[in-house]
Amino acid sequence: MDIEREAEELASDLGTDKEEVLEDLEKLVSYSVPLDEAKGSLRRKYGDGSTSDEPATKNIADVSPDEGNVTVTARVLTVGKRSIRYQGDDQVIYEGELADETGRISYTAWQDFDLSVGDTITAGNADVREWDGEPELNLGSATTLVFEDEPLEVTYELGGDRELAALSPGDRGRNVVVRVLECEQKVIDGRDGETEILSGVLGDESGRLPFTDWDPHEAIEEGASVRIENVSIREFRGVPSVNVSEFSSVISLGETVPVSEEAPEMDIGEAVASGGVYDVTVVGNIIEVRDGSGLIERCPECGRVVQNGQCRSHGQVDAEDDLRVKAILDDGTGAVTTILGHDLTAEVYGGGIEAAKEHAREEMDKEVVADDIRDTLVGREFRVRGQLSVDEYGANLDATEFAESDENPAARARATLAEVRG
């Protein structure tokens, strides 16, 4: 794709400065806007006689990616700020949500319009693009922005304060009050070479989420209670992850933020439909212990399971023994592959790696370990706590706690039946 040639042809058609068109076209394409859509957007921006110079005024609920450019009057719900890499340079952008009486929409501002939470604005000639399947407004140099004197009444919450359980991937400009439960300093290969970061787990009364601090703040340390303003939420391994940046503010608190010791309990179907939960408890019956359970071997380099000493990434390796269970847990609303690591598997099996190896030697068959585990688990009901991730390969629950349920199945069945009947 020759962007410069496309820009030259477009500028010639529009009778517009090539360099200006090239800059706008490169920006849109770098932001994952398809080339044809980007060119159409610039035709509408500069005007080629085929459309009206004045963008349509729309309610937010009526805005779609097909609109091109629109004018909206809306209330600013949140304002976030972060840096992205654009054409090799760092560029600061502002982003968050706008709302009117009909709905709300995400926005990205490519320059500082001095937006504040609660402002009522009219954004003219705002470009519409699709982001994560939804329309998003882009406010740039071609956008006219007017601050209205009369505040627009909306039903949505102003400001970014949220509990951890209410955060979703794609959220921007959020604020959290949390306790740092785990914190580890790491050095990674970042976009500018080796980069020092902090990573760990945050908690509040609603739940727990992993975090990454890309510009380590001194106030973020294990055990600290803090208010973190202007965080964004990304998806990491199928669950929301809190991203702290150089533009985030971290305020130490004088009191300890309470954290629930229990994970929220959900039906499996509900948990899977959510797209991923960092810390959740489910109850169900083990209906199958899958192949690849019991006594297994792992690559010492990457930790992947190996077959006959062969790792898919590292070839022939001196494999290390391990114990694992991969079991299907079903509660009638859905099913999930539950994965038990070494320690939980050893509890289920009744012995560690050496006991499993001795058993396999006696029977001259490694599968006897998995068979014993099947006899122990299949058909019984268990309460499992762990991290649920959902991707194109299915739903997996990495267990941190695993125990036979002490609930009365008949009583729960009666309660469920009563709920269904209303």
Side-chain angles (χ1 to χ4, degrees), residues 142-163:
T143 304
T144 59
L145 197 132
V146 176
F147 290 85
E148 305 291 351
D149 293 332
E150 191 69 26
L152 185 67
E153 294 299 325
V154 297
T155 58
Y156 300 98
E157 182 179 358
L158 295 177
D161 288 6
R162 298 291 188 276
E163 292 186 325

Side-chain angles (χ1 to χ4, degrees), residues 101-385:
E101 305 94 327
T102 68
R104 58 184 175 181
I105 192 170
S106 297
Y107 72 87
T108 296
W110 292 87
Q111 62 190 63
D112 187 1
F113 288 100
D114 198 23
L115 297 175
S116 298
V117 171
D119 286 342
T120 295
I121 62 170
T122 295
N125 199 33
D127 185 53
V128 186
R129 65 179 296 267
E130 184 175 323
W131 177 253
D132 199 23
E134 299 292 334
E136 178 182 84
L137 295 180
N138 274 252
L139 314 180
S141 58
T143 304
T144 59
L145 197 132
V146 176
F147 290 85
E148 305 291 351
D149 293 332
E150 191 69 26
L152 185 67
E153 294 299 325
V154 297
T155 58
Y156 300 98
E157 182 179 358
L158 295 177
D161 288 6
R162 298 291 188 276
E163 292 186 325
L164 292 179
L167 298 175
S168 301
D171 285 350
R172 297 165 274 187
R174 298 292 189 244
N175 312 316
V176 296
V177 175
V178 294
R179 192 190 327 158
V180 183
L181 303 179
E182 300 175 21
C183 187
E184 178 184 7
Q185 184 175 325
K186 295 180 179 179
V187 176
I188 64 168
D189 289 328
R191 64 189 185 188
D192 295 315
E194 288 193 347
T195 303
E196 182 180 305
I197 65 169
L198 298 178
S199 66
V201 179
L202 305 175
D204 64 14
E205 286 190 298
S206 73
R208 306 174 186 216
L209 284 182
F211 80 91
T212 300
D213 184 355
W214 298 94
D215 185 51
H217 293 76
E218 290 185 3
I220 296 182
E221 58 182 2
E222 194 162 315
S225 291
V226 293
R227 175 180 171 85
I228 311 177
E229 298 179 345
N230 188 27
V231 301
S232 59
I233 311 301
R234 298 181 184 174
E235 184 177 294
F236 179 68
R237 293 178 180 173
V239 301
S241 177
V242 179
N243 275 256
V244 186
S245 75
E246 61 186 301
F247 299 109
S248 302
S249 299
V250 182
I251 305 164
S252 296
L253 302 178
E255 55 187 24
T256 301
V257 173
V259 176
S260 174
E261 295 301 321
E262 303 296 327
E265 186 169 330
M266 304 173 70
D267 292 335
I268 293 176
E270 177 189 5
V272 172
S274 73
V277 187
Y278 182 72
D279 188 28
V280 66
T281 295
V282 296
V283 178
N285 289 88
I286 298 292
I287 60 173
E288 179 188 354
V289 172
R290 298 180 59 187
D291 293 341
S293 297
L295 185 59
I296 62 171
E297 294 182 330
R298 293 190 183 276
C299 173
E301 298 293 329
C302 64
R304 288 190 175 94
V305 175
V306 303
Q307 299 290 338
N308 301 318
Q310 287 285 332
C311 172
R312 287 179 296 173
S313 298
H314 298 93
Q316 188 71 33
V317 296
D318 185 11
E320 298 175 343
D321 293 310
D322 197 6
L323 290 174
R324 179 182 71 175
V325 172
K326 294 179 68 177
I328 305 299
L329 188 76
D330 192 306
D331 69 350
T333 70
V336 64
T337 300
T338 299
I339 302 171
L340 310 186
H342 172 275
D343 292 346
L344 291 177
T345 301
E347 291 181 18
V348 169
Y349 175 63
I353 290 176
E354 292 306 317
K357 290 168 64 176
E358 179 63 27
H359 189 188
R361 282 193 294 267
E362 289 175 355
E363 300 294 332
M364 293 184 292
D365 184 4
K366 289 176 62 174
E367 282 302 307
V368 296
V369 178
D371 289 340
D372 274 9
I373 292 172
R374 286 188 181 93
D375 291 342
T376 301
L377 298 183
V378 174
R380 295 165 62 186
E381 184 179 73
F382 292 88
R383 173 178 291 272
V384 189
R385 179 177 182 175

Side-chain angles (χ1 to χ4, degrees), residues 71-84:
T71 294
V72 298
T73 297
R75 195 84 178 267
V76 179
L77 300 182
T78 58
V79 180
K81 181 181 180 182
R82 65 186 176 98
S83 175
I84 63 170

